[in-house]
Amino acid sequence: MSTDTVRLGAPPAGIDWNAVRSDFPLLGRTVRGGRPLVYLDSAATSQKPNVVLEAEVDFYEQRNAAVHRGAHQLAEEATEAFENARSAVARFVGADDDEIVWTSGATAAINLVAYALSNATLGRGAPASSRFALRPGDEIVVTEAEHHANLVPWQELCARTGAVLRWFPLSDDGRLDLSADVVTERTRIVAFGHASNVTGAVAPVAALVERAKAVGAYTVLDACQSVPHLPVDLHALGVDFAAFSGHKMLGPTGVGALYGRRELLADMPPVTTGGSMVEVVTMATTTYAPPPQRFEAGTQMVAQAVGMGVAAQWLGELGMDAVAAHERALAAELLKIAEIPGVRVVGPLDAVDRLAVVSFVVEGVHAHDVGQVLDDRGIAVRVGHHCAQPLHRRFGVAATARASASVYTTLDDVVTFREALAGVRAFFGEE
Amino acid sequence: MSALDQMYQQVILDHAKNPHGRGLVDAPAGDAVGESHQVNPTCGDEVTLRVAVADGTIDGVSWEGQGCSISQASTSVMTELVTGRTLAEVAELDGVFHRLMESRGKGLDNEEDEDLLGDATAFTGTSQFPARIKCALLGWAALKDSLARSGALAS
């Protein structure tokens, strides 16, 4: 394998990416007997910069109180921090504040939509919600590339309502095959990932939104992988709903967001019910608060939301165009593993419209064993099906190994990874 | 020896490359037969194992599967180890192997048990890696379940 690489050096944007990396304390630790950590598992979860860690500590040390209730000063400050975080996240993804619903993560956000549609189908929230009611024979469209979190909730919704699940297949290079006539007059929902967590391929959002709109179907975008790595403007994309998580975008675990167009959230019935999401409660009936509070029952994950808000702000200040350019260069470097004998990349081989997420198989060596050898060199990659079994089945493999980058990933990380990967087959006597 | 070399000992790599018992075969007529399909949901490794029991003794073990070298080698080693053993001996082997896998790399502190496991003691290295213990136990889980399904345990 050629080890020639184009040094990223000082990028045009003038960002010192090594300084960016040094903002992430965890990346300074060693693993497996003193080896420097090479963290290439950011598509699973990202590491956190100091500002995010400090924001959570600051919240608990200075502001911790129940939000949206209580007249004391702490309650005011906690509520302000919570709502400022919502604004920061909204601004970051091109949404309005009241279009962002806090959830425990992207999985919960997608399930929230699916169960709201279920409740609408049962007549809850009618007449406003009747636009969401599903009838037997209605169709829900997904893609073969979906993470289980954007597949299983729709399978379940179909099972509950009699709707039928259909999907766009994948072409051999891992891109969506839009030639299939999947979206029809019966389609009510088109749910798809903005970028695949396995192939890294970025979906043609505009084309899918156009098809959905043409038949009056709602679009649900799984934006988990895109929001941390690309400039995302949800209003400009024109999707109806979107889900993303805090922990993949340098924020804390336990928090994520559902975006919904204002008029849609307004017509949606609640899913989780209880405190904080109500207007008037009598012993017999309850009226519900407007969105987003209607969908935020119970005590919220306030400190995590504050952390996610700071992460959004930090990424925004870094500049998502610069982040995307940095990671595009890393993607090109990661893709050079395809030149290693016996290594096959599952997904597009060109760095266009794809993220720095590269899944691969090594001939004669199972992904688990590949990951184990890399781990011994201090390199953290993901192995397995990455919660996308149908995609793996499509490519005839049960498991792949995956290297994925983020803002703090450096060219040195990728070079170390490529060199270690080049030695894997020899370790197992496959050469 | 590094932790990695302790895990991938030659005997394990040999079994992974040339596994014993791979390829499902029909059980001899008259044997009690059980079959089990086990999946490791975190990685998609799977094994389908068939056991044949005659007169309280393992008459044959065969299996199909795909997975990492640890799961394939462990199922292979187990196949060799249990074939021809009585059900009581298999239960004992199962217990000792599980104890080994819970040892966090320390192994068994008793020579008698090590002798009992033979080649299977090579998985001591695997027990240092919590994420891989399930790989080593996949075949054993399939054996236990297929024995239960064979009805041979009741008789």
Side-chain angles (χ1 to χ4, degrees), chain A residues 409-423:
Chain A
T409 307
T410 63
L411 178 60
D412 286 343
D413 290 332
V414 178
V415 170
T416 304
F417 159 65
R418 285 198 313 236
E419 286 171 359
L421 182 60

Side-chain angles (χ1 to χ4, degrees), chain A residues 219-238:
Chain A
T219 45
V220 181
L221 187 73
D222 172 0
C224 278
Q225 296 295 334
S226 57
V227 164
H229 305 289
L230 300 172
V232 172
D233 182 334
L234 294 171
H235 281 168
L237 288 174

Side-chain angles (χ1 to χ4, degrees), chain A residues 234-258:
Chain A
L234 294 171
H235 281 168
L237 288 174
V239 294
D240 294 309
F241 300 96
F244 51 101
S245 57
H247 74 97
K248 288 195 206 299
M249 55 175 280
L250 319 182
T253 54
V255 65
L258 169 69

Side-chain angles (χ1 to χ4, degrees), chain B residues 11-24:
Chain B
V11 59
I12 291 178
L13 295 177
D14 289 347
H15 271 278
K17 268 204 151 65
N18 300 298
H20 295 252
R22 181 133 80 182
L24 286 174

